[in-house]
Amino acid sequence: MRNISLLLALLCCLLPPALADTIGSRRAEAEVMPDGTLAVSTRFLTKLTPSLSEALEQGVVLGFRLEFELTKPRATSYYLSLREWFDPHAQLAFKLSYQPLTGRYRVTIGSLSNYYPTLREALSALGAIQGWRVLNPGTLDPKRPGQVAGQVRLLLDIGDLPKPFQMNALGSDDWSLDSGWIKLDVKDAG
């Protein structure tokens, strides 16, 4: 009996965790621009777990990463993967925080911040970007947009949390938010 319970426990550890539908894609598009760059536009529907909502209300800043990866043309994507050592080809950092004195939420991208009266509005701003240039000029052939493919994802950056929360986040589904890779719908700019 003891061996069976040990075997069941081991099998439960090996199964992939069931991810709650906490980040979903509402828009994932890209355009090949005349200068050979790719302009990415995304929008996500994000829902925080109860643990993350509580931490946010207590003043913990939640960091999110929007990542882009080129998958086609294969030679270019392979070169970029080697150059970046298998990291995403481009990424943006978003920070979500709560301001208790004003009762507002702040979303920061780099040095730009916007304030929102509700958590719902702030969450809709996470990962929302329009015309983000993700590649250097001349990387792609603007005359062949049909041969370009890429993917994006939005995820909670656990490494951006304060150290005590990082320990809580390890192995916890409550602290794991990830949209998974979403294929971009690539259009011609012309």
Side-chain angles (χ1 to χ4, degrees), residues 1-78:
M1 187 67 164
R2 182 174 173 212
N3 289 340
I4 292 173
S5 62
L6 183 61
L7 183 62
L8 286 175
L10 182 61
L11 284 175
C12 288
C13 291
L14 293 176
L15 293 175
L19 295 176
D21 194 21
T22 52
I23 300 180
S25 172
R26 295 181 69 199
R27 178 181 183 201
E29 301 173 349
E31 290 181 76
V32 178
M33 304 308 285
D35 66 353
T37 62
L38 193 65
V40 173
S41 299
T42 61
R43 183 167 295 280
F44 292 88
L45 180 61
T46 305
K47 181 181 173 192
L48 297 180
T49 63
S51 297
L52 287 172
S53 293
E54 184 180 326
L56 180 65
E57 298 294 324
Q58 292 178 0
V60 175
V61 177
L62 302 178
F64 289 82
R65 249 187 359 252
L66 177 62
E67 299 179 343
F68 163 79
E69 191 171 76
L70 184 70
T71 56
K72 254 174 81 178
R74 294 200 193 288
T76 305
S77 68
Y78 181 74

Side-chain angles (χ1 to χ4, degrees), residues 101-145:
L101 292 176
T102 60
R104 297 187 305 171
Y105 296 88
R106 182 173 77 182
V107 175
T108 305
I109 305 171
S111 62
L112 302 173
S113 294
N114 280 334
Y115 292 88
Y116 300 92
T118 66
L119 178 59
R120 184 176 171 190
E121 290 174 277
L123 289 173
S124 70
L126 287 176
I129 199 80
Q130 178 74 32
W132 174 36
R133 301 288 178 110
V134 293
L135 299 172
N136 293 328
T139 303
L140 301 173
D141 183 357
K143 296 176 184 145
R144 300 171 62 169

